Amino acid sequence: MTQLIDPSAIHPAALELGRRFADAGHDLSLVGGPVRDLFLGRTALDLDFTTDATPDRTLEVVEGWADAVWEIGRDFGTIGLRKGRAQLEVTTYRAEAYEPGSRKPVVAFGDRLEDDLYRRDFTINAMALRLPGLELVDPHGGIRDLHAGLLRTPGTPEDSFSDDPLRMMRAARFAAQLEVEVAPEVEEAMTAMAQRIGIVSAERVREELVKLIRGARPRAGVDLMVRTGLADVVLPEVPALRLEVDEHHRHKDVYEHSLTVLEQAAALETGPDGPVPAPDFVLRFAALMHDVGKPATRRFEPSGAVSFRHHEVVGAKLTAKRMRALRFDNDTVKQVSRLVELHMRFYGYGEAGWTDSAVRRYVRDAGDGLERLHRLTRADVTSRNRRKVARLAAAYDDLERRIAELSEQEELAAVRPELDGERIMAVLGVPPGPVVGRAYRFLLELRLDEGELGAEEAERRLRAWAAETL
């Protein structure tokens, strides 16, 4: 199949590389996502190519042309390159498959572009542009499916998912990222084979999950994972939110509520210059996970009401445990689980009122996550009761106003005692040790409760505290 492609839409490095391979007597094609993105009007700096050349031959062809070369994927047929700002990967025609029970693909090299395309995950990614002539090769109707917004596999989905079970996660990711619908036979195969995702490394699953959550339509991706059973393996806390409905103890659908909060949190993200630039994984994942502690804490009260006492604390622990299992870095785990733990802190503010001390603590406990916490708290309101929604919004507006006013008076985000450790030791005449830590915590609580006192008053209070407690 041939289709005219505007050469100006192709990255110059791709055309240059195509000419080098042609001059060397080898085929080279731009393939996969970059081709798909051409038809979606997107530009990409990460370019994937496939070739009949072996990895050794590829290294010979790019010698002296590439700005940098790396061979980390050489055993899988891939040579990585950098040309200017563009990242390029050239892979020998191949087929991948997992042996039953194995986490590592077995790689076999091929010699035909069409065979290579057949082994790819989905038809919209099974298109290639032969270089440098720009001949479009689309044997499986990828253009048609792209226009239809449909996700299908080149062969049977069962064969595709057997070759690489991670493709089931990619299907969910593309549903979120590209806003495409999954073909019925693809969803059926995902449902039948969902447990097989368990043989894929946690790191690979995590990367797909992050892309899904950061997608244009994350709700669609999460819901597909839940419907097919993938979430039962990858993120079991989420399908557990589908609490059964008891006709005598009606309560909000926690699963649907969580998906709505995810959508509403994403809608509150900012532009690139704002405090929470979109798409923000930490905010979105905290929104999805904020109520995962509810199944374990659900209680039916004598009055007929349903309670979930301390679900935010339980949920934070469950979230951290799941993220560690998915090999997230410690900082991301801490940020997300902290938001889950704090998401209920605001409730009651409108009725009880907070002292300045409580406002300071709220800011201190949120730390760098304050702007995200603002958005998560607002997104958590999904009631159909307009008066309740308006009342909570007004209360949070008031809280943000008070935070701003106090921030003008004092640097809330960096509240510290007015005496540091060196001064504490000098005032009390003690060496480094536990006493200094206790004194520091006393002064911090004093600072939070009463605001700035001045160094002289802080020293007087410290001496009085030491006289009573040491």
Side-chain angles (χ1 to χ4, degrees):
M1 175 181 179
T2 302
Q3 179 166 332
L4 291 176
I5 301 292
D6 182 359
S8 67
I10 310 296
H11 196 286
L15 297 174
E16 290 178 21
L17 191 61
R19 286 190 286 270
R20 290 185 71 89
F21 271 78
D23 291 345
H26 288 288
D27 294 332
L28 184 76
S29 298
L30 186 66
V31 71
V35 178
R36 177 198 71 221
D37 289 347
L38 275 174
F39 294 99
L40 292 175
R42 301 178 179 182
T43 57
L45 287 176
D46 294 336
L47 304 173
D48 296 327
F49 303 85
T50 189
T51 181
D52 61 346
T54 64
D56 286 345
R57 187 72 177 120
T58 293
L59 288 170
E60 293 175 5
V61 172
V62 303
E63 185 177 1
W65 177 81
D67 296 328
V69 176
W70 53 96
E71 303 179 37
I72 190 170
R74 185 170 181 164
D75 290 345
F76 297 96
T78 300
I79 300 298
L81 318 169
R82 181 176 58 79
K83 183 66 173 178
R85 294 178 55 216
Q87 302 288 334
L88 305 88
E89 286 192 350
V90 181
T91 302
T92 305
Y93 297 151
R94 68 183 185 184
E96 275 188 7
Y98 278 78
E99 294 292 342
S102 172
R103 289 178 179 265
K104 296 183 178 180
V106 176
V107 177
F109 296 138
D111 54 15
R112 295 180 68 247
L113 173 60
E114 290 75 12
D115 293 339
D116 183 271
L117 294 179
Y118 181 78
R119 305 300 296 185
R120 292 185 177 264
D121 53 5
F122 302 105
T123 60
I124 61 174
N125 294 330
M127 300 182 286
L129 277 179
R130 292 188 186 274
L131 300 172
L134 301 184
E135 175 195 351
L136 176 64
V137 182
D138 181 19
H140 306 291
I143 289 291
R144 177 197 62 215
D145 290 341
L146 194 59
H147 285 308
L150 190 65
L151 203 64
R152 295 190 308 113
T153 53
T156 68
E158 290 80 7
D159 286 345
S160 182
F161 299 153
S162 289
D163 284 350
D164 186 351
L166 187 68
R167 291 173 175 175
M168 294 184 285
M169 280 295 297
R170 287 200 193 114
R173 187 246 290 188
F174 287 136
Q177 200 173 51
L178 302 178
E179 301 183 72
V180 295
E181 298 296 328
V182 174
E185 68 274 13
V186 173
E187 183 166 339
E188 289 173 9
M190 291 172 67
T191 303
M193 303 175 69
Q195 291 299 314
R196 192 161 165 77
I197 196 67
I199 72 169
V200 181
S201 71
E203 290 82 359
R204 295 183 74 207
V205 171
R206 178 198 66 218
E207 290 307 306
E208 292 298 326
L209 179 62
V210 169
K211 292 174 183 177
L212 184 160
I213 296 298
R214 287 167 52 89
R217 198 174 58 160
R219 179 179 190 140
V222 172
D223 203 35
L224 179 59
M225 287 180 61
V226 171
R227 289 201 313 271
T228 58
L230 275 178
D232 291 331
V233 181
V234 174
L235 208 59
E237 295 79 8
V238 172
L241 293 172
R242 297 177 297 178
L243 302 173
E244 69 275 10
V245 176
D246 185 310
E247 61 179 339
H248 302 297
H249 301 97
R250 295 179 181 175
H251 53 81
K252 185 182 295 185
D253 185 324
V254 183
Y255 172 67
E256 290 296 329
H257 164 74
S258 297
L259 293 183
T260 300
V261 174
L262 168 60
E263 287 183 312
Q264 294 186 168
L268 292 172
E269 292 168 340
T270 67
D273 297 326
V276 185
D280 188 84
F281 172 79
V282 170
L283 171 62
R284 294 185 181 198
F285 199 58
L288 176 63
M289 302 293 283
H290 77 284
D291 275 347
V292 295
K294 281 191 170 180
T297 58
R298 184 175 60 157
R299 299 290 183 270
F300 297 122
E301 304 295 343
S303 64
V306 179
S307 67
F308 303 97
R309 291 189 180 90
H310 306 304
H311 74 272
E312 67 277 16
V313 177
V314 173
K317 293 178 180 178
L318 290 173
T319 298
K321 182 178 179 181
R322 178 56 49 199
M323 293 183 72
R324 284 193 290 268
L326 288 169
R327 303 292 192 271
F328 278 92
D329 64 275
N330 290 335
D331 186 54
T332 304
V333 173
K334 181 179 179 181
Q335 290 180 66
V336 174
S337 59
R338 189 61 169 157
L339 286 175
V340 173
E341 182 181 358
L342 293 175
H343 83 272
M344 291 294 292
R345 180 73 67 86
F346 160 74
Y347 291 95
Y349 172 83
E351 290 82 8
W354 282 6
T355 62
D356 286 350
S357 171
V359 174
R360 291 189 192 99
R361 291 173 193 276
Y362 187 77
V363 174
R364 180 199 64 174
D365 291 347
D368 293 340
L370 181 63
E371 290 291 345
R372 289 183 174 122
L373 183 58
H374 286 335
R375 286 155 178 78
L376 176 58
T377 303
R378 290 184 182 277
D380 194 23
V381 180
T382 62
S383 173
R384 294 180 181 178
N385 185 326
R386 292 185 179 180
R387 289 185 179 180
K388 180 180 180 181
V389 171
R391 175 169 48 80
L392 289 172
Y396 207 84
D397 287 344
D398 185 63
L399 175 57
E400 288 201 67
R401 176 188 59 77
R402 290 185 61 195
I403 290 173
E405 289 177 351
L406 283 172
S407 295
E408 289 182 3
Q409 301 169 21
E410 46 191 292
E411 193 179 348
L412 285 185
V415 169
R416 295 180 177 87
E418 292 174 272
L419 307 180
D420 61 16
E422 293 292 333
R423 188 57 187 160
I424 290 172
M425 289 187 286
V427 170
L428 299 183
V430 297
V435 170
V436 179
R438 289 171 58 193
Y440 187 92
R441 287 190 292 274
F442 163 74
L443 290 172
L444 178 58
E445 292 299 313
L446 191 65
R447 174 76 169 80
L448 290 168
D449 286 339
E450 300 185 33
E452 295 181 3
L453 299 174
E456 185 177 339
E457 177 63 13
E459 289 185 14
R460 188 187 70 78
R461 298 282 193 97
L462 177 61
R463 290 190 180 93
W465 169 83
E468 293 180 3
T469 60
L470 299 184

